[in-house]
Amino acid sequence: MSGATGTVLLARLLRWETMLAVVFICEFVLFASISPYFLDVYTLSDATFNFTERAIVALPLALLIIAGEIDISVAAIIALSSVTMGLVASTGSGTGAVVAAGLGTGLLAGMVNGVLVTLGRVPSIVATIGTMTLFRGAAYAVLGDRVLKDYPPAFAAFGQGYLAGPLSNELALFLLFALLFGVFLHYTRWGRVIFAVGANPMASRFAGLAVNRYRFALFATTGFFSGLAAVLLTSRLGSTRPSIAQGWELEIISMVILGGVSVWGGKGSILGVVLAALVFGLITFGLGLMNVPGIVMSIFVGMLLILVVAVPALVERLRPGRVKGA
Amino acid sequence: MIRFFARFSDATRRDLAFGGLTLLLFVAVTVAFPGFASPRNVAGLLDDTAILIMLALAQMLVILVRGIDLSIAANLALCGMLAALFNRAFPGAGVLPVLALTLVAGGLLGAFNGILVWKLRLPPIVVTLGTMSIYRGVIFLLSKGAWVNENEMSRDFTSFPRTGVAGLTLLTWLALLVFVGFMIALRRSRLARDLYAAGGNPHAAEYSGIDAGRAQFIAYTICGALAGMCGYLWVARFAVAYTDIALGFELSVIAACLIGGVSIAGGTGSAVGVLLGCLFIGIIRSSLPLVGISAFWQMFINGAVILIAVLVSARERDRQGQTLEARA
Amino acid sequence: MSPPVLTLTDIRKSFGGVRALERVSLELPAGCVTALIGENGAGKSTLVKILTGIHQPDGGEIRIRGTPVRIADPLAARALGLGVVHQECQVFDNLSVAENLFIRAQPTSRGLVDWRTMRQQADAVLRDLDAGFDAGTPAGRLSIAQKHVVQIARALTHDSQVLILDEPTASLSQRECAELFRIVRKLRDAGRAILFISHKFEEIDALADRYAVFRDGVSVSAGALADTTRDELIRLMVGRPVEQLFPKLETTPGAELLRVESLSRAGEFEDISFTLRRGEILGVYGLVGAGRTELAQTLFGVTRPTSGSMHLAPDAAAAGIALVPEDRQSQGGILDFSLAANVALTNLARLAPRGWCSGARERALAAEWIDRLSIRAHGPGQVVRSLSGGNQQKVVIAKWLARAPGVLILDEPTKGIDVGAKAAVHRVTSEFAQAGGGVIMISSELPEIVGMSDRVLVMRRGRLRAEFTRQAATGDALLRAASDA
């Protein structure tokens, strides 16, 4: 084998997605050997519930981060959407109206973010720290310490139902949207523009691209999918508290970054995000099998998040003879 | 008069304007509820705001050098738990070792953020989002999920921040001391001026012999140390320590900074502005029950105020940008 | 001749196997301006970074007044009396001018910064330079030229005996240059040694006493400027003779392509009216801040006019307007993307009519333009950042020409690129016009404007002040129209 093909092969192997896949397989084997219940199809299917809702938000958020922006308010949007749904449901409305209220609230909230960033020209970190406080605050202001749980019976189907056999509605939705987002990002010209906007927004504008329109659309999409996640989560839990989905922004952002999306924008893949979601879900599930409490899980999530960005930086630092600007 | 104002920098003028606004808010609430301006009530307001003031000043240092510390509240909670556990193990040790312990432990937690940002050039938001959940998790491991209650704390441990001196609590005096220290140091110490320079233009800072990364490290470490000390004060004041204390408080702290005129772009911010931002939040918070609004609205109001503050400063930036282009 | 203040002998420096400086020697005598010239990549910026203490040389010797020294970091450079005025204004906008001068060296009393003394000392230096602004001014309110003065003042504050000016005039207007030169001459006459790095021969002729030429990391020649000619210097720089710098192709302008009627944008430009014809290169001259870049951005559509109108011939309207912006690094191209991806970005509608992208089509298009503009690259996959400045500029031009625009606007198209690339840019511009396109070329370089334009518009303070035919457009006339005189 010549040196050149060797290098190419090594580069392939070291690709982020490949490493994630290897981690996924290792996890799988590890948990299968630890717990006898693990390999059951229905157990595995159950396991998907603990990440699909988050992963559904991670897809549009990946696009947003690739475009050089960030949305920290996603979990707060889920809470606000859930509260709206609860209020609509408490008036005795049908399932259709409840779902529409959830999706609509998410979309509106996302549009608020989009307006702040595009028209208001506020950096997205600051804007969404603000709306995160505002949306979550609105949920608390409206609900206080009350709980909403008057959901119509048919509503439970979204988060608890199965499409076919062990394939849950949630998982099916996630897989469908993952495919759509993947194709959109990697094979269409609009995807190209998203990468360009993230890599250099100014140059994109001077290439005649409508940068702000893309930003707005991406914030609105992220909001809409947060609304969708709210529908699924609320349907699964059957109740709404203002603290619903607390801290999820961390896990969703971690999924995206673990998926190899660059926090500096301009780089990333949907395949990576999907694999990261699977790795993530499996860790949660596996630790659950071993009776590790959720808060300890957050140590793993935090360390994973930092390791994912630290390892490439360390490798870069330690690589001999790197070019340090000529 | 106009020339008098023109002498001030933009930041000073903003502080003056915002100071007027805060005073106006205070007067308005007092007119409606005369008891609001009573010395007792004002002392209570300051006591309630003291920890926020210290944390916001600490956070400002980090934002000044283009960072952000989302782990500040988790750091506080972890050091608070350390203080409580230390006190439970050595009830007779007194307050000084506790203060020293929390300052050092907080400083180390902050330095961990700082080293990642400095040596590996990782994005601050990702690093501190990560350490935020790590630190929270560690509290659970340390305490095994249990609470440390008042009956497990020694008396001098809990009474220290509440001790009254000249009408104000020791906690308030401590916050004022930190504020005055910041005011002098930010303006007149070379180290702080390095922070301003590094945050304002990291590239130029490098050419002036300032290591911008090291400046970030220093800012994170000081921020962490203060957060650690506030951990003890928080636990002592509320006489309880558990995993979730000050959950989400980092947002109030960042809100106070943004309202107080600290620019997220780095290099701009003053101790006076941050103090005013904290008082503004404090006045709103303590007047809510008077007006008959549930405390559940506090977060919503914070959010609205943050958004207004950042929108105003974005406008300000645009205006300055335009005048610059016109002058050039 | 007085003995040299700074002597460099056989300085070497490589970055990860790439030789930046192979063997560089240089002498800077006191009371003398030495011009350092060389194409991009000749090693000038690396040398500046070594003298600033940012990089350490791999070998060779630096002596100051005969004593060997080591410049460990920027603070050491300052302590040794080396002051640098950087091309990209290293000024702190958020700090006052006084603090900019004294950063990391603020006068203190009892360990605390003494603002009063600092202000007084800074004001004294600024008065010395006739700066025209006081030390209390926030640096963010200064113009670029004034910021250069701040950098010079900073060097003087630390009593620098050697002053290095790294292309300080790149973004200055003629008048601001004259002001800067006045200050530099004053410092030279006071006995300081000055190293002046520039691409512009007019300025070198006006300011320098001696010259040094670098080529590919080697110092090839040095001496008194009076003993050489401009052609000789160019030959030394390039290493080959350049027959024709501005190969303009003669064309006869055709029908009207673009008509602009009293176009205004508040605070930027006012009441601009002109026409552009097919096959015409319309030069736009003016000082920096005259509103030329702003006009270009409005014509292109990045900003909107507050009033007025523009009319394009129907075919040109369909083909669109292209803008090659002044700031190549941040506006022109996406440096981290491949050449192919950059060229594709402006041609997505054609390359992916139904939305589906094809890498093969993109690479083919890029390969075609690499060939047509003779871009020096390994292939369409090469990342743009790794190209030289001149070739980066060719990529930006290629991405627009590939789209076959009706009107091509070039904003300072050859700023900071080497002589060879400059000629190539001029060639394609000429060819585009000859094929019937209309070109609007903004430039601050008189020879470029005079050499390339069929007609020249002159802007001053946001307004059109004069129009010259090719015959009437002499450097003198343009300069007079552009300045306030």
Side-chain angles (χ1 to χ4, degrees):
Chain A
M1 195 169 69
S2 77
T5 39
T7 325
V8 171
L9 201 69
L10 190 69
R12 283 263 167 82
L13 268 178
L14 282 177
R15 264 188 61 182
W16 197 251
E17 288 81 358
T18 320
M19 298 208 312
L20 280 172
V22 170
V23 170
F24 179 71
I25 292 166
C26 291
E27 274 181 359
F28 202 87
V29 171
L30 179 73
F31 290 132
S33 61
I34 288 175
S35 166
Y37 310 106
F38 183 78
L39 276 180
D40 181 70
V41 176
Y42 284 89
T43 315
L44 282 175
S45 163
D46 264 3
T48 62
F49 282 105
N50 66 37
F51 72 89
T52 40
E53 290 141 8
R54 273 160 273 203
I56 280 175
V57 184
L59 295 171
L61 191 66
L63 266 55
L64 194 67
I65 295 179
I66 289 173
E69 304 290 327
I70 195 159
D71 186 348
I72 312 182
S73 73
V74 282
I77 296 179
I78 294 178
L80 188 61
S81 295
S82 185
V83 169
T84 322
M85 284 191 286
L87 293 177
V88 171
S90 66
T91 64
S93 306
T95 305
V98 172
V99 173
L103 297 179
T105 308
L107 181 64
L108 268 178
M111 285 162 74
V112 168
N113 284 334
V115 166
L116 283 170
V117 172
T118 55
L119 291 182
R121 270 169 283 174
V122 180
S124 58
I125 292 183
V126 193
T128 57
I129 281 181
T131 52
M132 166 187 186
T133 321
L134 190 79
F135 297 153
R136 181 73 71 179
Y140 272 104
V142 171
L143 221 52
D145 43 12
R146 287 188 298 146
V147 183
L148 296 170
K149 45 170 60 169
D150 310 318
Y151 290 102
F155 182 63
F158 292 94
Q160 299 176 18
Y162 289 83
L163 185 68
L167 179 65
S168 67
N169 289 340
E170 287 199 356
L171 185 61
L173 271 177
F174 168 61
L175 294 176
L176 172 72
F177 283 122
L179 192 68
L180 288 178
F181 273 97
V183 169
F184 179 79
L185 180 65
H186 298 293
Y187 296 100
T188 71
R189 63 171 141 121
W190 302 285
R192 294 294 161 96
V193 176
I194 290 174
F195 279 106
V197 168
N200 186 340
M202 184 78 100
S204 301
R205 231 176 121 217
F206 278 90
L209 305 173
V211 172
N212 270 345
R213 220 176 290 166
Y214 277 86
R215 282 189 183 136
F216 179 81
L218 288 174
F219 274 107
T221 310
T222 307
F224 178 82
F225 278 87
S226 304
L228 177 62
V231 170
L232 299 174
L233 175 64
T234 312
S235 157
R236 184 160 64 86
L237 300 176
S239 66
T240 296
R241 285 170 215 275
S243 62
I244 191 169
Q246 187 96 52
W248 276 26
E249 62 276 345
L250 168 70
E251 293 168 31
I252 295 170
I253 292 172
S254 304
M255 260 184 210
V256 175
I257 292 168
L258 179 61
V261 173
S262 159
V263 266
W264 310 112
K267 282 188 202 113
S269 80
I270 290 294
L271 178 64
V273 174
V274 171
L275 285 170
L278 292 176
V279 166
F280 203 89
L282 213 53
I283 296 183
T284 320
F285 180 62
L287 291 178
L289 275 183
M290 298 189 290
N291 286 322
V292 177
I295 181 84
V296 177
M297 169 71 195
S298 78
I299 299 183
F300 281 91
V301 177
M303 290 203 298
L304 211 58
L305 181 62
I306 291 176
L307 278 178
V308 163
V309 285
V311 168
L314 260 177
V315 170
E316 185 66 24
R317 240 184 112 73
L318 297 177
R319 205 164 57 190
R322 69 196 160 123
V323 180
K324 201 180 149 193
Chain B
M1 190 65 186
I2 290 168
R3 285 194 55 183
F4 173 74
F5 273 106
R7 288 182 57 83
F8 293 118
S9 67
D10 295 338
T12 315
R13 265 185 303 207
R14 190 195 181 281
D15 287 350
L16 283 173
F18 186 59
L21 188 69
T22 311
L23 194 66
L24 211 67
L25 179 71
F26 183 76
V27 171
V29 180
T30 308
V31 168
F33 307 95
F36 194 71
S38 72
R40 206 184 127 86
N41 195 55
V42 171
L45 193 151
L46 286 175
D47 191 50
D48 282 340
T49 322
I51 291 182
L52 181 64
I53 291 172
M54 288 185 274
L55 290 177
L57 287 169
Q59 180 76 257
M60 173 177 71
L61 284 185
V62 175
I63 300 182
L64 215 50
V65 287
R66 301 194 172 188
I68 193 159
D69 188 355
L70 295 175
S71 72
I72 191 167
N75 179 336
L76 176 152
L78 176 49
C79 291
M81 179 57 77
L82 276 177
L85 294 176
F86 178 82
N87 180 250
R88 191 168 67 184
F90 309 98
V95 172
L96 274 181
V98 176
L99 278 174
L101 170 76
T102 50
L103 276 169
V104 171
L108 287 174
L109 295 178
F112 181 64
N113 287 328
I115 205 102
L116 290 173
V117 172
W118 175 22
K119 287 298 178 191
L120 295 182
R121 292 169 196 269
L122 303 186
I125 190 150
V126 175
V127 167
T128 58
L129 207 54
T131 52
M132 173 169 98
S133 63
I134 296 177
Y135 296 167
R136 284 276 174 206
V138 171
I139 308 174
F140 183 89
L141 290 184
L142 279 177
S143 64
K144 302 183 181 64
W147 292 35
V148 180
N149 289 310
E150 181 158 23
N151 53 21
E152 295 170 89
M153 299 176 185
S154 69
R155 256 200 66 204
D156 52 349
F157 179 85
T158 51
S159 65
F160 171 74
R162 309 180 201 181
T163 314
V165 178
L168 297 176
T169 59
L170 216 48
L171 176 64
T172 309
W173 283 116
L174 206 56
L176 290 176
L177 188 74
V178 170
F179 166 71
V180 172
F182 263 71
M183 208 166 64
I184 295 172
L186 285 181
R187 181 94 184 125
R188 301 202 54 191
S189 81
R190 278 193 183 172
L191 175 68
R193 299 321 292 175
D194 285 358
L195 296 188
Y196 276 95
N201 187 345
H203 195 235
E206 193 195 345
Y207 279 85
S208 309
I210 299 170
D211 185 338
R214 190 168 155 272
Q216 285 185 314
F217 173 76
I218 292 168
Y220 274 106
T221 308
I222 297 176
C223 174
L226 273 172
M229 184 183 75
C230 287
Y232 157 60
L233 296 171
W234 183 296
V235 164
R237 182 162 186 261
F238 296 101
V240 64
Y242 55 97
T243 306
D244 283 346
I245 62 167
L247 192 66
F249 199 66
E250 65 276 353
L251 292 176
S252 296
V253 172
I254 293 167
C257 288
L258 295 178
I259 297 168
V262 181
S263 162
I264 204 84
T268 314
S270 74
V272 175
V274 169
L275 177 75
L276 290 171
C278 295
L279 290 178
F280 191 84
I281 291 183
I283 293 171
I284 290 184
R285 185 167 53 195
S286 60
S287 56
L288 281 184
L290 297 177
V291 196
I293 295 177
S294 132
F296 285 115
W297 282 87
Q298 176 67 42
M299 194 174 184
F300 180 79
I301 293 172
N302 276 356
V305 175
I306 297 178
L307 288 178
I308 293 169
V310 294
L311 276 170
V312 167
S313 72
R315 287 289 79 73
E316 192 89 339
R317 214 173 42 230
D318 282 0
R319 202 173 49 73
Q320 280 174 4
Q322 267 167 21
T323 48
L324 248 185
E325 277 162 23
R327 289 171 61 100
Chain C
M1 200 178 80
S2 44
V5 181
L6 178 73
T7 316
L8 304 179
T9 319
D10 291 336
I11 299 289
R12 284 178 291 114
K13 177 73 188 172
S14 335
F15 298 98
V18 181
R19 281 267 169 85
L21 294 179
E22 203 161 331
R23 202 178 57 252
V24 156
S25 302
L26 184 68
E27 285 187 354
L28 297 186
C32 178
V33 176
T34 307
L36 174 57
I37 50 185
E39 288 194 287
N40 283 353
K44 292 170 298 180
S45 13
T46 307
L47 184 76
V48 171
K49 283 187 174 147
I50 286 176
L51 291 177
T52 323
I54 302 278
H55 293 326
Q56 294 303 313
D58 299 335
E61 196 181 45
I62 305 173
R63 285 170 181 265
I64 290 181
R65 296 195 190 284
T67 319
V69 294
R70 199 177 88 84
I71 308 170
D73 55 46
L75 288 181
R78 196 161 78 183
L80 288 167
L82 297 168
V84 184
V85 175
H86 294 279
Q87 186 179 356
E88 336 84 349
C89 261
Q90 307 286 5
V91 164
F92 301 98
D93 283 351
N94 58 328
L95 304 180
S96 70
V97 170
E99 215 179 347
N100 264 288
L101 302 192
F102 284 96
I103 191 72
R104 286 237 106 186
Q106 297 96 335
T108 54
S109 66
R110 272 171 283 146
L112 294 177
V113 174
D114 183 349
W115 284 81
R116 183 188 294 269
T117 309
M118 186 160 87
R119 274 289 297 272
Q120 283 166 354
Q121 293 183 2
D123 270 326
V125 174
L126 292 174
R127 254 198 316 278
D128 242 25
L129 292 175
D130 292 328
F133 49 87
D134 75 288
T137 320
R141 291 193 198 153
L142 300 178
S143 71
I144 302 215
Q146 288 172 319
K147 287 179 185 174
H148 280 301
V149 175
V150 169
Q151 295 193 75
I152 294 181
R154 185 188 293 164
L156 296 186
T157 317
H158 304 296
D159 199 30
S160 303
Q161 289 308 305
V162 179
L163 189 61
I164 299 157
L165 304 165
D166 187 4
E167 295 195 43
T169 60
S171 41
L172 297 196
S173 67
Q174 218 91 29
R175 191 184 38 168
E176 290 168 331
C177 282
E179 180 61 21
L180 182 71
F181 288 178
R182 183 186 61 76
I183 292 174
V184 172
R185 284 194 196 100
K186 195 169 162 181
L187 297 173
R188 174 192 62 190
D189 297 341
R192 292 175 209 255
I194 293 160
L195 181 67
F196 178 63
I197 302 174
S198 175
H199 273 117
K200 301 180 188 169
F201 286 107
E202 295 75 30
E203 296 177 351
I204 292 168
D205 286 341
L207 193 63
D209 311 300
R210 299 176 51 79
Y211 72 92
V213 181
F214 282 13
R215 188 173 71 227
D216 301 329
V218 180
S219 43
V220 289
S221 173
L225 208 54
D227 302 341
T228 184
T229 63
R230 189 181 293 190
D231 288 344
E232 174 66 8
L233 288 179
I234 292 178
R235 197 188 57 73
L236 287 168
M237 261 169 78
V238 185
R240 62 178 189 277
V242 177
E243 302 87 34
Q244 201 181 4
L245 268 179
F246 307 115
K248 167 147 174 75
L249 304 170
E250 293 304 328
T251 57
T252 9
E256 181 180 294
L257 188 62
L258 167 72
R259 191 171 75 253
V260 175
E261 284 172 354
S262 55
L263 203 68
S264 303
R265 187 171 146 81
E268 294 185 347
F269 53 85
E270 231 183 302
D271 196 25
I272 305 284
S273 304
F274 65 89
T275 58
L276 174 69
R277 295 159 71 186
R278 289 177 200 277
E280 186 178 41
I281 298 180
L282 179 64
V284 180
Y285 184 71
L287 307 178
V288 170
R292 297 170 303 163
T293 296
E294 291 79 1
L295 174 65
Q297 291 178 354
T298 303
L299 291 175
F300 174 64
V302 181
T303 55
R304 285 180 192 184
T306 24
S307 67
S309 59
M310 32 189 298
H311 310 273
L312 276 163
D315 62 318
I321 295 180
L323 170 65
V324 175
E326 178 180 6
D327 187 342
R328 186 169 56 236
Q329 305 263 329
S330 72
Q331 300 176 340
I334 298 179
L335 300 187
D336 290 324
F337 277 15
S338 70
L339 212 154
N342 269 282
V343 174
L345 210 54
T346 43
N347 297 285
L348 285 172
R350 182 154 62 94
L351 288 167
R354 298 217 179 87
W356 303 109
C357 286
S358 146
R361 275 202 298 271
E362 289 170 15
R363 281 191 297 276
L365 181 70
E368 179 193 335
W369 283 93
I370 289 176
D371 202 39
R372 288 175 71 167
L373 297 190
S374 42
I375 299 173
R376 245 179 274 170
H378 305 314
Q382 189 172 355
V383 174
V384 172
R385 188 183 293 282
S386 63
L387 299 175
S388 73
N391 283 303
Q392 287 179 3
Q393 183 73 329
K394 286 185 194 169
V395 173
V396 181
I397 293 175
K399 81 175 187 186
W400 282 114
L401 289 185
R403 210 179 136 141
V407 175
L408 176 65
I409 306 174
L410 302 162
D411 192 357
E412 305 284 3
T414 61
K415 181 174 148 184
I417 69 177
D418 59 56
V419 180
K422 201 166 179 170
V425 168
H426 288 153
R427 176 175 60 80
V428 292
T429 308
S430 256
E431 284 169 3
F432 176 78
Q434 200 182 40
V439 178
I440 298 175
M441 188 177 76
I442 296 170
S443 175
S444 298
E445 276 188 56
L446 278 170
E448 180 169 78
I449 283 275
V450 171
M452 293 292 294
S453 313
D454 294 299
R455 203 151 50 91
V456 181
L457 304 176
V458 177
M459 283 181 78
R460 187 172 82 224
R461 294 198 184 178
R463 285 175 172 274
L464 275 187
R465 300 292 169 165
E467 184 178 332
F468 295 90
T469 59
R470 179 163 172 77
Q471 289 72 33
T474 62
D476 246 24
L478 292 179
L479 198 54
R480 253 196 304 279
S483 45
D484 283 315

